[in-house]
Amino acid sequence: MDTSLKDSIKAEYNKRFPQKKFIPGESVVPVSGKIFDAQEMIGMTEAVLEGWWTEGHVAEEFEKKLAEFVGVKFCTTVNSGSSANLTAFTALTSPWLGEKRIKAGDEVITIAASFPTTVNPIIQNGCVPVFVDIEMKTLSIDTSQMKKALSKKTRAVMVAHTLGNPFEVKKVRDFCKKHRLWFIEDNCDGLGSEYDGQRTGSFGDISTLSFYPAHHISTGEGGAIFTNNALLHKAIRSIRDWGRDCWCPTGKENTCGVRFNWKLGELPQGYDHKYIYSHIGYNLKMTDIQAACGLAQLKKLDSFIRQRRENYASLRKKLAKFHTYFDIVEATEKSKPSWFGLLLTLKDDCGFQRKDFTQYLNTKKIGTRLLFAGNITKQPYFINYQVPYRKIGDLKNTDKVMNQTLWLGVYPGITEEMIDWIAQSFEDYFEQFK
Ligand SMILES: Cc1ncc(COP(=O)(O)O)c(C=O)c1O
């Protein structure tokens, strides 16, 4: 790219996104957001000027670097984390897997304190989610309940590293191995998290990431799917790319060498491989423009993770003294989370309601979020569609989270001044109970 164009983009970036001074009570303390500079814009402009626009060599490079970072052989980029989950689960229903494929009516163990699109692919493929409870210390899957959830129809476990806190991933993996279940690791919130010294997203048969702006790195919209299994990788790409049988990269032809010599389904011999479909597919590809943004973000990833951990530690330390009112989520044993947010659960006898507290924080311009769908079985869509599901026990802890949990931001845009403002605002609120 011409140096003068690069300089113009840098100047434009500086003009549009000047550093803002934080004014407590006036400036917003967001829960999340994307952090970028002119490099993302230069990368995206370069991809626009190349004129390719769909998935191409930039996406390929992004996939290679992502796979290296997570520590998995194959990576496929997609247009969102939700698409990643949908493609990941659907790949396990591929006829290419023979007897091992998941079929409609099969059961999948998961949790109800979830983001909806961790659970939805199970339903969208005609399968039945079986909900186990979470445990309160980490708000992660209570692995001791998995055995109770097993039935003759169980075929998989699909669960997320909630807000970047790894669940007991080895226990889940061992359980899946023992009972010959597929293991799908939704790592959308956990890029850079580690369990027992190994990156999350590298344990499951398939794992996923999201690059929505709230996440560790952003491509605007975007996601990725990871696997070490070559056949699953092929199925993932087929389902992402209209369901096609052909595996040529976008814009390439005849990689198989026998493009006009295939005999599949009941199609005539020699039907163009480009138009042979072996799956009920979608088109969920990421564009090179998005991937160019992702490549620039990846260069910042290590510092993003470091900053998230520092912010989490500082916020946790400053809020610790209010322990009579709430419990702060704890990192799972043996884990090193790349935190997405700081979760706290109000004590039963704290003396106030979550809605009053979050409204109060809102007046202080401090953003809060709930733990996604709370108890997903109580969401209107579960009731309106009469989604079939099973649950183990009464999901008591899940309900507690639905009623009493909230989270605060620790993303790299959070500064020490903001953390001090959060702590000060907490102090002021609790003053009334003294
Ligand atoms: C755990 C989890 N899975 C999946 C998703 C969906 O990702 P996306 O918003 O990119 O579709 C999210 C979104 O935040 C998430 O938190």
Side-chain angles (χ1 to χ4, degrees), residues 366-387:
I366 297 168
T368 60
R369 291 286 185 277
L370 304 185
L371 185 50
F372 304 140
N375 179 340
I376 207 165
T377 68
K378 305 206 169 168
Q379 288 284 343
Y381 82 99
F382 250 71
I383 296 158
N384 296 341
Y385 286 101
Q386 298 182 330
V387 173

Side-chain angles (χ1 to χ4, degrees), residues 68-271:
E68 273 166 22
F69 183 87
V70 175
V72 174
K73 227 188 234 169
F74 305 107
C75 169
T76 300
T77 46
V78 284
N79 60 6
S80 73
S82 303
S83 299
N85 282 345
L86 176 62
T87 309
F89 191 87
T90 309
L92 297 174
T93 69
S94 168
W96 290 346
L97 300 175
E99 277 307 297
K100 287 186 183 164
R101 72 181 277 222
I102 298 177
K103 297 194 197 76
D106 286 342
E107 292 185 349
V108 180
I109 298 173
T110 186
I111 56 173
S114 279
F115 195 79
T117 52
T118 307
V119 174
N120 291 353
I122 302 168
I123 304 161
Q124 285 156 325
N125 279 286
C127 298
V128 179
V130 178
F131 297 111
V132 299
D133 210 352
I134 51 175
E135 51 101 0
M136 280 317 293
K137 242 186 182 173
T138 62
L139 304 191
S140 295
I141 181 168
D142 180 350
T143 48
S144 70
Q145 291 199 357
M146 290 191 303
K147 210 166 166 204
K148 282 188 220 143
L150 262 186
S151 82
K152 278 196 183 130
K153 290 181 174 178
T154 314
R155 302 304 306 277
V157 177
M158 182 166 183
V159 72
H161 298 292
T162 306
L163 288 216
N165 194 16
F167 53 84
E168 291 178 302
V169 72
K170 279 194 174 164
K171 269 199 190 155
V172 176
R173 188 180 64 183
D174 292 349
F175 177 84
C176 287
K177 276 210 176 117
K178 183 170 173 197
H179 300 285
R180 295 166 165 228
L181 310 175
W182 293 108
F183 175 21
I184 308 142
E185 206 186 337
D186 178 340
N187 194 32
C188 285
D189 294 351
L191 180 57
S193 291
E194 290 169 30
Y195 185 88
D196 215 1
Q198 187 179 327
R199 291 237 158 93
T200 56
S202 63
F203 291 89
D205 293 296
I206 310 186
S207 75
T208 59
L209 280 179
S210 163
F211 307 128
Y212 185 75
H215 293 258
H216 296 62
I217 58 168
S218 182
T219 58
E221 299 286 353
I225 310 157
F226 300 81
T227 184
N228 281 317
N229 179 321
L231 183 60
L232 283 181
H233 176 59
K234 203 172 155 219
I236 286 164
R237 283 191 113 84
S238 168
I239 289 154
R240 182 197 65 167
D241 301 0
W242 308 280
R244 68 188 184 148
D245 196 78
C246 163
W247 57 84
C248 289
T250 312
K252 297 259 163 47
E253 286 178 357
N254 203 26
T255 317
C256 62
V258 284
R259 177 176 161 193
F260 296 109
N261 209 13
W262 286 89
K263 173 81 186 97
L264 289 172
E266 293 174 9
L267 294 168
Q269 170 84 33
Y271 199 83

Side-chain angles (χ1 to χ4, degrees), residues 405-425:
T405 297
L406 63 131
W407 61 273
L408 299 160
V410 297
Y411 83 108
I414 299 284
T415 62
E416 208 51 45
E417 278 175 299
M418 294 178 183
I419 291 173
D420 285 340
W421 174 239
I422 296 173
Q424 179 62 52
S425 302

